[in-house]
Amino acid sequence: MSTLAGERATVVVIGAGHAGLTASHFLSARSVDHVVLERGEVANSWRRERWDSLRLLTPSWQSRLPGLRYDGPDPDGYMTVPEVTEFIERFAKISRAPVRTGEDVTSVRRDGDGYHVTTRDGAVLGCRAVVIATGACNRPTVPSLAAAVPASVRQLTPFDYRDPAGLPDGGVLVVGASATGVQLAAEIQRSGRPVTLSTGEHVRLPRTYRGRDVLWWMDASGVWDQRYDEIDDLNRARRLPSPQLAGVPHTTLDLNALSSTGVELVGRLASIRDGSALFSGGLRNVFSLADLKMNRLLGTFDEWARTQGAEVAPPERYEPTRAPDNARLQLDLRSGEIAAIVWATGFRPDYQWLDVPVVDAKGQLSHDGGVVDSPGLYALGLPVLRRRKSTFIYGIEDDAREVIDHLARHLAVRD
Ligand SMILES: Cc1cc2nc3c(=O)[nH]c(=O)nc-3n(C[C@H](O)[C@H](O)[C@H](O)COP(=O)(O)OP(=O)(O)OC[C@H]3O[C@@H](n4cnc5c(N)ncnc54)[C@H](O)[C@@H]3O)c2cc1C
């Protein structure tokens, strides 16, 4: 039974991931009375929604939250999921966040100049402002054509997948070649199951460039600090797939690396007809575009290094992505060749509980830098919320400070 019934708080933060906890940190710094409601435990998505072998793709020195930095033995390594969970738990303790766990928010509705927040067991909490920090990846995105997959083929999302041992024996079709897809394709191929990887638009990056982690370059050259209001096509930037990176030191996990281990590359999954998966052609064009964009980004890094006189190794360029001579356009899913499909086709937020008309037809929250189009309603942790780094652990501090500044001004106006 909830202990919340009849309570009031000036601000309710929903979600105790790193975003909600950082919001709490800045609210406490301003002595704003608040509560953080979490349906599971602190760092719940890291506990429940990640596969076993996952490591952060951001280097450990980039794991920092206000007043807490990675202080382990390997700052250039990549944290495991238990390490990330522990890091976020530590932050919750240090910042003394007023977290109430096991409180699943099922409704937020406007009430006068504030909000009513209702939890699954019926407790209603009144407040003047709400911070939505429920994450950008609550549900795996699975295309509707999945319904046409023959019943003999097992279908999994990254939320169901734990390790290759949980897959049936036989071939695996991984759909999607962003960070999740390339990592799972590599691991499943290593387990001895033949992998076919369906590849649409993707972001290619080397793990290390000119002797430094590529994410060091993103940080140092200011790419990650680029603000949302300086980006020409913000909608596109917010939909950009995650880069082909894995948390393995000095190891690039691009399509060349995968095809050298035997992963078969095919085009974008266009449809499933009569039990056959049909893939788009034109892989060469898709690959050239990704290579071109990567080289453009490396050129930005080079220019930054030149103007700053940075002490780094000489510029590098990489072999273009090799397209297979005859990429298959069709794969019979009834033949037994494919035993399982892993949908690595992205994630999306879930706002079914939000009874305020601020979610668009595509299920995305309408907001301007985290200021939602309903007074007193705020969001954190969404792609390019205020900067390119917004969804990363390391990116939350600047966003949260600014969003909570806005929230404090909102409260002050009505005091
Ligand atoms: C596969 C994967 C790999 C990633 N790798 C990296 C990486 O290498 N480096 C990096 O910096 N970032 C990485 N990220 C991005 C990001 O750090 C994580 O997605 C992170 O979990 C987002 O933090 P958050 O606080 O915004 O959301 P979450 O951690 O998802 O926290 C949201 C919280 O809200 C709770 N919640 C949701 N709905 C409700 C509700 N209705 N009521 C109450 N509580 C609710 C959830 O239980 C959860 O605890 C990765 C993300 C994914 C999916």
Side-chain angles (χ1 to χ4, degrees):
M1 177 68 186
S2 172
T3 54
L4 291 170
E7 281 191 40
R8 269 200 77 80
T10 305
V11 180
V12 171
V13 178
I14 311 175
H18 75 258
L21 295 168
T22 307
S24 168
H25 166 89
F26 285 112
L27 289 167
S28 295
R30 291 174 168 273
S31 306
V32 176
D33 134 71
H34 67 282
V35 62
V36 182
L37 302 185
E38 166 56 55
R39 64 182 170 193
E41 298 169 75
V42 167
N44 206 48
S45 60
W46 292 103
R47 294 172 198 273
R48 313 249 174 267
E49 295 164 5
R50 309 283 187 259
W51 58 96
D52 292 353
S53 65
L54 177 69
R55 283 177 176 266
L56 289 190
L57 50 78
T58 43
S60 296
W61 60 265
Q62 264 182 354
S63 290
R64 53 178 189 246
L65 291 168
L68 181 65
R69 285 171 173 267
Y70 173 85
D71 57 2
D74 187 13
D76 293 322
Y78 307 90
M79 284 165 130
T80 62
V81 170
E83 285 168 343
V84 182
T85 308
E86 193 275 331
F87 184 77
I88 296 173
E89 266 185 326
R90 192 141 48 102
F91 179 60
K93 285 201 186 97
I94 291 170
S95 56
R96 301 202 179 148
V99 181
R100 304 285 191 92
T101 53
E103 298 288 1
D104 187 6
V105 172
T106 51
S107 162
V108 170
R109 58 179 79 239
R110 205 154 161 67
D111 174 57
D113 66 353
Y115 293 89
H116 269 169
V117 177
T118 308
T119 61
R120 182 160 304 282
D121 47 19
V124 181
L125 195 71
C127 62
R128 293 190 44 208
V130 173
V131 180
I132 300 170
T134 46
C137 303
N138 305 118
R139 300 243 182 279
T141 310
V142 177
S144 53
L145 51 76
V149 172
S152 56
V153 176
R154 174 122 175 258
Q155 299 187 54
L156 293 97
T157 71
F159 278 22
D160 313 315
Y161 176 89
R162 287 279 161 259
D163 61 26
L167 295 172
D169 287 336
V172 179
L173 171 64
V174 176
V175 184
S178 295
T180 301
V182 295
Q183 290 179 30
L184 298 190
E187 171 167 282
I188 297 167
Q189 178 79 18
R190 274 198 304 275
S191 78
R193 292 168 179 78
V195 171
T196 307
L197 178 62
S198 164
T199 310
E201 187 196 358
H202 57 273
V203 178
R204 180 183 180 196
L205 283 183
R207 179 72 269 181
T208 308
Y209 182 61
R210 299 182 68 176
R212 307 299 297 254
D213 193 287
V214 74
L215 299 186
W216 176 88
W217 286 95
M218 297 289 255
D219 181 36
S221 64
V223 171
W224 264 9
D225 274 321
Q226 195 182 9
R227 292 181 59 91
Y228 77 113
D229 42 11
E230 294 166 354
I231 295 174
D232 289 339
D233 190 347
L234 182 58
N235 281 334
R236 189 172 157 67
R238 285 182 169 159
R239 288 197 318 266
L240 212 60
S242 57
Q244 291 173 335
L245 284 176
V248 186
H250 311 293
T251 304
T252 292
L253 188 58
D254 59 13
L255 299 178
N256 283 348
L258 284 171
S259 56
S260 332
T261 65
V263 170
E264 178 185 352
L265 304 179
V266 294
R268 190 170 179 279
L269 179 59
S271 66
I272 296 177
R273 208 174 301 145
D274 300 329
S276 279
L278 307 181
F279 304 105
S280 306
L283 261 189
R284 228 172 274 279
N285 291 342
V286 175
F287 291 177
S288 316
L289 189 63
D291 292 350
L292 180 83
K293 287 184 180 164
M294 175 182 70
N295 287 330
R296 215 183 273 153
L297 183 66
L298 301 181
T300 311
F301 296 161
D302 294 339
E303 181 56 16
W304 173 83
R306 196 183 59 75
T307 52
Q308 300 299 310
E311 284 188 24
V312 282
E316 298 168 74
R317 286 298 177 267
Y318 302 95
E319 183 197 357
T321 309
R322 294 185 301 271
D325 288 336
N326 289 306
R328 277 202 275 184
L329 296 174
Q330 188 163 347
L331 185 54
D332 185 354
L333 298 173
R334 292 163 308 190
S335 68
E337 180 186 348
I338 297 295
I341 296 181
V342 180
W343 297 105
T345 30
F347 303 94
R348 62 184 170 82
D350 177 10
Y351 299 118
Q352 278 185 46
W353 46 270
L354 185 55
D355 296 314
V356 185
V358 287
V359 179
D360 69 18
K362 293 193 168 144
Q364 301 295 332
L365 202 61
S366 311
H367 68 92
D368 179 5
V371 181
V372 181
D373 196 16
S374 177
L377 198 54
Y378 294 88
L380 279 170
L382 302 179
V384 200
L385 185 102
R386 294 182 84 85
R387 293 171 177 78
R388 285 204 189 266
K389 63 183 179 183
S390 290
T391 37
F392 292 100
I393 292 171
Y394 135 102
I396 198 67
E397 181 166 357
D398 292 340
D399 279 13
R401 184 186 300 107
E402 292 173 12
V403 165
I404 299 304
D405 274 355
H406 194 293
L407 186 154
R409 287 199 299 278
H410 168 79
L411 295 178
V413 167
R414 279 144 205 267
D415 274 342

